[in-house]
Structures are given as structure tokens and as C-alpha cells.
Amino acid sequence: MTIDTIVVLAYFMFLIAIGWMFRKFSTSTSDYFRGGGKMLWWMVGATAFMTQFSAWTFTGAAGRAFSDGFVVVILFLANAFGYFCNYLYFAPKFRQLRVVTAIDAIRIRFGKTSEQFFTWAGIPDSLISSGIWLNGLAIFVAAVFDIPMEMTIVVTGIVLMLMAVTGGSWAVVASDFMQMLVIMAVTITCAIAAYFYGGGMGEIVSNFEGNFVTGNNLNYMSIFILWVVFIFIKQFGVMNNSINAYRYLCAKDSNNARKAAGLACALMVVGPLIWFLPPWYVAAYMPDFAANYEVGSDAAYLAFVQKLMPAGMVGLLMSAMFAATMSSMDSGLNRNAGIFVLNFYNPVLRPNASQRELMAVSKLTTVLMSFIIIGVGLYINSLRHLSLFDIVLNVGALIGFPMLIPVLLGFIFRNTPDWSAWATLIVGGFVSYYFGISLEAHHIESWFNLDQALTGREWSDLKVTLSLMAHVILTGGFFMAIVYAYRNKPCRTTEREAEVTELFKNWDTPVVADSEEQQDLDTKQRSMLGNLICIAGFGILAMALIPNDIMGRTLFLVCGSLVLVVGVLLVTAAKKSAPQTPQEVTL
């Protein structure tokens, strides 16, 4: 058994232990699905950040960085823009909704019919995305350990399931924070190595083949500009709608939700410049590496680590890959189980179900959805001729984005009838079908009488852009037409009007958590996570004992120290915030 395999197995056991340690935190469905709304900002910010991050970042996105340079960073900067808007306005508002699942807010705003529409429309989108992320992880594992991708998908999915079932949202969010630290520590270490081996950023850019800023295979600059504009529009919608409010529902109060958004924004700005230095180095100094890998340019990051990093670092990187993928998947898995149980099973099938029954069904649902994700990952694996980067963007543009339009606009324009949400969703389905499936490159070339045929990259970018543009104009326009039609007339019954009024009253009323019970829980969060992170930090430091040259040992010391410092800070903070035992007074 190699040192890399030992590192990965140890990390797996560590993740399962986290789920076991946090199992007692979940005593109700509110605890299981959103931590009872009692989590600190740095935990919430970490999970918000990690939901936009997976092994795809180091496979599909790294492959795009290898071929087109800085272009891939734009997608992550668009994420940062969305989180910044969260920080300025939406994050505390979402926490103030005071609901257990995001679909609860949709039910109150748009009624029970819309609740079921969005329950059943949203779950497939999330499960497909999770399957894509799982497939991205399998690319790495298959190349490193020479293990079939199918086996990787199954085993990883089962480990994820065990962690999510035992600990619920507490285990999910706690592991997200620790995994964020591992990923940032490993990638910072790799970026430092790429910077020095490459002779600095200037040398890497100057040796990059083609245009580093806009990328290659581009005949029409207007297509690139449109793509950038609509990617920012898309990510604004993704981050600032009530479906994705689940990121902040677990925060202990409004202020912690805002701070969490600020942390996620900062990490999304800094992260890409760290993550993509290695594939840029590979593009500059190892341009022919892809011939050695079955998945081609998607293995750019892996090629850098295997060639230039010390023995054992591949195993640590693989742990980070598992961390990235699991953090995205377990958040979606926990959220989907919550939506199914609390927005379908409980209100439709079992209105009088006890908390014990709902908890049991929640865990069973988590198990079943885990197997669905594994199945989707296996199917995506069969589509190897497609680009992972393009699959992710197309799924988001065609399935995810039309769902976001009514639940974003519906919290800005409040006087629309309940049917406006599900009707807009149906319109969005037709728009996605035409622009995502029926429309082909030769149609565009013919309509606009283009002098040059669209390149593969241009058609891929344009297809995403046209889909997003169509949804903004047609799907969004349909909802706005309803807003205009009902601008001066009542559109709900008296009972429904009271529910909507109460929802927006909550929306505008800050949540404040300063009870003694909450302070005790804050201390417990800092202490448990701090100790876990210290253990992880010492484990990485111990890897400096692996036979390597002085540079290799130093990189492990840097990586372990980054993790350990955070653990020590949390333990120290826990001790300072712990209630002081009164000292005995001697008379």
C-alpha cells in the first residue's frame, strides 16, 4: 500500500468520525437540516464557499485554465460578486425568513402548488450536479491509483452517505469548514511551488501559448464579452434567490449570516488565483502533458503535483479533492432530503407524523438520494466525449437558472398571484428546450451570415450565453408581465395575504441570538472543531517525515502549519469564551 493510499484512507476515517462526533447535535428535523439555526459565521461561510467548489474545480475548470488561461477565473469572480451582494443585502434577509428549508419560504410566498413544483423541479437539478462532481473526482482517483472510475464513484458516494446520515447538517457544515482549511492549505502550498518553479507570475504568463487573458480558438470577441456579462448575471441569480437561501438558514443570527457571506466572497476572490497557478504553469512549461492521460487536459493539476510536488503530496491532494467534492455533495444531499421530508412527505403524505418518524424518514431519504447520485455519476462517466466544464455550465443555464427567476423576482416584486411562480417555471422549461436542445451552431451562422464558422469553444460559450439571455428576456419578461398586470389589484385571498405579510415582516426583522444556551453552544462548536483541526494539522506536519528533499519536507511543514494555526486559534477562543467556574473563597 502506497503512502498516498494511506493518506486518503486516513482522511476517509476522519470524515466518518466527524459525523459520529456531531450525531448528538441533531435531535429534531430543524437540527438535522439546518443545525437549528445556531451555527457561527465561520462555519456557515465555509459551507457557503464549499457549495460552489468541488473536484470539478481541479479537473474541468483546471483543464479550461490550461487551454484558455485567465478565462476560467471569471466564473469564480462572478461567484464572488454574488456573495458580495449576499453580504450587502441578501444573506441577513435569508436568515430572517425563519424557515427550516428554502422551499418553506416559497410555500409561504407562492402557495402549496408552487411548493410542490419547486420541490420536484429542484431535486433533479441538485442530484445531477452532485453526480457531475462525483464524476470529476473519479477522474483524479482513476489516474492516481489506477482504480476503475466506476468503483471510485460507488465508494466515495457511500462514504458521503455515512457522514451525512450520522451527523446531519452539523456534520456537513463542520466537515465543510475543516475541508476548506485542508483545501486552502494544500492549494496554497502548490501555488507557492508553481510560482517559484515557474520563475514568477510574469514568466508563467509570457510562456503561456496563445492569449492568456481571453484564451484561444476565439474568432469573435463579442461572443466572449457577452459570455462574461451573462455569467455574472447568472451567478448573481444563483447566489441571491430564496432557493439558495439554505446557505444562511443555519446561521445563528442575521449578523452571522452577513459575516458568512463576507467570508465566502473573500475566499472566492483569492481562491482562483491560488487554484489555477499550477495548471497555468503546466500550460507554460509542460504543454504536451495531456498525451499521458486518458482524460487529457482535465488532468493538468494532477500532472503538476505528480511531477513537481514531494512524495505524499498526491495523497494529500486527493484528500483535498475528496473534501471539495464531498462538501458540495453533502450540502446538496442534506438540503434535498430536508426538502423532500418537510415539503412533501410531512405536509402531503403524513401531516401528523412525529419528530421521531420524520427523523427516521430523513435518514432513509438521505440514503436513497445517495444511491441516486451514485447512479447519476456512473451515467455521466459514460459521456466521456463531453467537456466537464461545459456540462456544468449547461446544466446551470438550462435547468438551474429558470428556477431562480421567479423566486428572485418574487421577493422584490411582492404583489403577484401564487400561480406566477409555477407558470414562470413552465415557460422557462420551453425556453430551455429550444435554446438548449433545438438550437444548433449552423442556425446562428445562417441567421447572422457569419464570415467564419464558430469554433467549438465559441459555440459552447454562445450556447450558454443565449440560454441565459433568453431566460432573462423571455422567462423573466413573463414574470414581469404578471407584475405589471397585477400592479394595482389584489391577487390573493385574505388568508394568503396575511401569510405573505408575515413572511415579509420576518424578512425585515433582524434575528438576534445572545442567550446563555447559544453562548454555550458557540463554545462547544469552537472547541470540537478546534481540536479536530489541530489533529489534522499535526497529521500533515508528520508527513514531513516522509523521505523527501528539504524542499519537499518544507512544503509539508508549511501546509500543516496553516491548518494547525487555525485549530489553535479556535481552541484558544473556546477557552476564553467558556463559562468560568467560580473560585472557592477561603474564610
Side-chain angles (χ1 to χ4, degrees):
M1 185 178 293
T2 66
I3 185 65
D4 294 321
T5 305
I6 293 172
V7 170
V8 173
L9 290 176
Y11 190 79
F12 264 39
M13 297 305 297
F14 202 61
L15 290 179
I16 294 173
I18 289 176
W20 182 256
M21 289 179 65
F22 279 89
R23 72 192 187 283
K24 293 183 179 179
F25 278 63
S26 297
T27 58
S28 67
T29 51
S30 178
D31 292 334
Y32 190 77
F33 294 124
R34 65 167 191 137
K38 299 173 183 177
M39 297 183 184
L40 291 167
W41 64 272
W42 40 270
M43 291 177 68
V44 179
T47 200
F49 167 71
M50 294 297 283
T51 54
Q52 294 301 117
F53 192 90
S54 71
W56 170 82
T57 305
F58 298 97
T59 52
R64 188 64 182 266
F66 170 83
S67 60
D68 291 319
F70 189 79
V71 169
V72 69
V73 176
I74 293 170
L75 180 62
F76 292 88
L77 292 180
N79 287 338
F81 171 69
Y83 282 127
F84 184 64
C85 295
N86 279 180
Y87 174 79
L88 291 179
Y89 181 75
F90 287 98
K93 297 293 187 182
F94 289 150
R95 176 61 185 89
Q96 289 159 205
L97 288 171
R98 296 168 171 84
V99 293
V100 176
T101 73
I103 302 296
D104 288 343
I106 294 175
R107 182 193 68 248
I108 301 170
R109 170 62 181 87
F110 290 111
K112 293 181 179 179
T113 301
S114 292
E115 175 187 22
Q116 296 309 312
F117 259 87
F118 281 85
T119 293
W120 293 105
I123 289 176
D125 174 36
S126 185
L127 294 178
I128 290 171
S129 296
S130 296
I132 293 171
W133 296 329
L134 196 56
N135 181 257
L137 174 62
I139 289 175
F140 253 82
V141 176
V144 172
F145 299 114
D146 195 27
I147 299 174
M149 291 179 67
E150 293 79 6
M151 183 182 296
T152 304
I153 291 170
V154 172
V155 172
T156 306
I158 290 174
V159 172
L160 159 72
M161 175 188 69
L162 291 173
M163 186 183 68
V165 168
T166 53
S169 64
W170 277 105
V172 167
V173 175
S175 65
D176 280 351
F177 183 76
M178 196 196 75
Q179 290 169 171
M180 178 197 73
L181 290 178
V182 172
I183 285 173
M184 293 305 290
V186 171
T187 54
I188 287 172
T189 305
C190 291
I192 292 172
Y195 183 86
F196 284 105
Y197 284 135
M201 191 66 195
E203 286 296 314
I204 292 174
V205 172
S206 64
N207 284 284
F208 187 88
E209 186 176 347
N211 191 316
F212 180 77
V213 176
T214 60
N216 302 309
N217 300 316
L218 191 65
N219 294 325
Y220 299 97
M221 183 59 66
S222 57
I223 292 178
F224 175 70
I225 294 172
L226 275 174
W227 180 81
V228 172
V229 170
F230 279 92
I231 284 296
F232 268 79
I233 292 173
K234 172 181 175 289
Q235 295 311 112
F236 170 80
V238 166
M239 302 299 179
N240 298 284
N241 67 88
S242 55
I243 288 180
N244 287 330
Y246 74 92
R247 292 184 174 94
Y248 305 107
L249 296 180
C250 53
K252 75 170 189 176
D253 57 25
S254 303
N255 189 43
N256 273 260
R258 186 187 300 278
K259 287 181 179 179
L263 174 62
C265 176
L267 292 170
M268 254 326 153
V269 171
V270 176
L273 302 178
I274 296 170
W275 304 329
F276 299 122
L277 256 179
W280 290 337
Y281 172 93
V282 172
Y285 298 105
M286 302 164 53
D288 300 322
F289 89 95
N292 300 320
Y293 294 89
E294 181 182 352
V295 294
S297 61
D298 284 350
Y301 205 104
L302 175 61
F304 173 85
V305 176
Q306 287 183 322
K307 183 174 179 62
L308 298 172
M309 299 303 283
M313 188 60 79
V314 171
L316 199 56
L317 177 66
M318 287 308 306
S319 298
M321 296 305 99
F322 280 113
T325 304
M326 287 182 177
S327 62
S328 298
M329 290 172 58
D330 58 21
S331 296
L333 184 60
N334 187 263
R335 176 187 60 169
N336 282 331
I339 290 172
F340 174 80
V341 172
L342 298 183
N343 298 108
F344 177 71
Y345 180 85
N346 188 202
V348 177
L349 301 181
R350 295 280 293 169
N352 299 317
S354 65
Q355 279 294 315
R356 184 175 181 178
E357 177 184 340
L358 293 178
M359 283 292 292
V361 174
S362 299
K363 293 183 178 183
L364 177 61
T365 302
T366 302
V367 172
L368 293 176
M369 288 189 174
S370 297
F371 285 114
I372 293 174
I373 289 173
I374 291 171
V376 172
L378 292 172
Y379 175 72
I380 295 295
N381 182 52
S382 69
L383 307 176
R384 297 185 183 182
H385 62 286
L386 299 179
S387 161
L388 273 180
F389 186 86
D390 294 335
I391 290 175
V392 169
L393 290 190
N394 276 288
V395 168
L398 299 176
I399 301 177
F401 192 68
M403 291 183 59
L404 309 181
I405 290 175
V407 295
L408 170 62
L409 296 178
F411 280 79
I412 298 174
F413 303 97
R414 303 178 181 183
N415 194 53
T416 61
D418 288 348
W419 57 264
S420 61
W422 59 259
T424 302
L425 193 59
I426 293 174
V427 170
F430 284 109
V431 172
S432 286
Y433 174 79
Y434 180 76
F435 286 90
I437 298 174
S438 299
L439 192 65
E440 297 182 1
H442 66 85
H443 294 139
I444 302 298
E445 293 165 357
S446 174
W447 293 346
F448 293 95
N449 195 26
L450 299 180
D451 297 329
Q452 294 177 293
L454 296 171
T455 65
R457 176 202 166 179
E458 286 175 326
W459 173 236
S460 177
D461 289 352
L462 186 59
K463 190 174 184 179
V464 170
T465 302
L466 290 175
S467 299
L468 294 172
M469 185 186 300
H471 282 303
V472 169
I473 296 172
L474 300 177
T475 311
F478 177 80
F479 188 89
M480 292 307 298
I482 299 173
V483 171
Y484 181 78
Y486 284 86
R487 66 192 184 281
N488 294 320
K489 62 173 89 170
C491 58
R492 287 180 285 263
T493 64
T494 303
E495 181 182 358
R496 286 286 299 120
E497 190 65 42
E499 292 177 351
V500 174
T501 300
E502 181 66 20
L503 176 71
F504 285 110
K505 180 181 178 182
N506 287 339
W507 175 271
D508 294 325
T509 305
V511 173
V512 179
D514 56 3
S515 67
E516 185 175 336
E517 179 186 359
Q518 179 64 56
Q519 291 174 6
D520 291 343
L521 188 59
D522 292 351
T523 300
K524 187 179 292 187
Q525 292 176 58
R526 295 186 183 101
S527 177
M528 290 182 67
L529 262 179
N531 288 319
L532 283 169
I533 292 166
C534 284
I535 293 171
F538 281 120
I540 297 173
L541 286 174
M543 294 179 71
L545 299 175
I546 298 172
N548 278 302
D549 58 24
I550 188 65
M551 179 63 174
R553 294 176 187 267
T554 301
L555 289 174
F556 280 119
L557 291 175
V558 170
C559 188
S561 297
L562 290 172
V563 175
L564 184 60
V565 165
V566 176
V568 170
L569 290 174
L570 285 177
V571 171
T572 303
K575 290 180 178 179
K576 288 182 178 179
S577 61
Q580 301 298 314
T581 303
Q583 295 182 353
E584 293 182 4
V585 178
T586 303
L587 298 177

